[in-house]
Amino acid sequence: MSIGKELATWACKSTSITKGVDDAGRHTFALNCEGTVKGAWTGASLMTLHVVSADLATGTYTATAAVYLEDGSAVTATGSGVLGACGPHEWRLNGFGLVADGTRFAFEGVMALASRSLDGKLHAVD
């Protein structure tokens, strides 16, 4: 597997965050985000990110997203990956996903608590 060209950039803000603890005592978060995607798909985006972390510094995530394209159509995607602290109350996310049309992508981004933002890039996966 190789990581290819940049497909799109992603910028979103969290509109809500729900914090919990699972049966194993791990911290859980559900983040609802809205923003924009620019590139292979350009339009408004909605995403829900589910994070599980034992130590509030590292963890795993799953995500579902929809992008409402400028031509009136929409695409959906799912993904998952890992996160780790990269600054004070900031986490780097790395993972892989699949667009409903079959496009596979790698994701890298940074989530910042202070600004409630998640900004990143999608790259083609061959």
Side-chain angles (χ1 to χ4, degrees):
M1 171 176 34
S2 64
I3 305 300
K5 68 177 183 168
E6 182 178 299
L7 292 173
T9 59
W10 194 296
C12 65
K13 297 275 187 183
S14 175
T15 58
S16 69
I17 302 173
T18 302
K19 164 75 173 80
V21 177
D22 68 12
D23 292 339
R26 298 175 300 185
H27 304 280
T28 62
F29 300 87
L31 293 84
N32 292 306
C33 301
E34 58 184 52
T36 58
V37 175
K38 294 181 182 175
W41 308 276
T42 297
S45 65
L46 298 175
M47 178 175 60
T48 299
L49 188 73
H50 294 275
V51 176
V52 177
S53 174
D55 61 5
L56 298 176
T58 60
T60 60
Y61 71 88
T62 59
T64 59
V67 179
Y68 298 89
L69 303 175
E70 293 174 337
D71 69 3
S73 64
V75 296
T76 59
T78 59
S80 62
V82 297
L83 59 98
C86 64
H89 307 301
E90 293 184 350
W91 299 268
R92 179 167 310 284
L93 283 72
N94 296 96
F96 292 94
L98 181 65
V99 179
D101 69 5
T103 302
R104 296 178 300 162
F105 62 87
F107 175 80
E108 62 179 354
V110 174
M111 181 170 57
L113 181 60
S115 61
R116 305 292 196 271
S117 63
L118 173 57
D119 300 325
K121 295 180 180 183
L122 304 176
H123 295 271
V125 174
D126 300 325

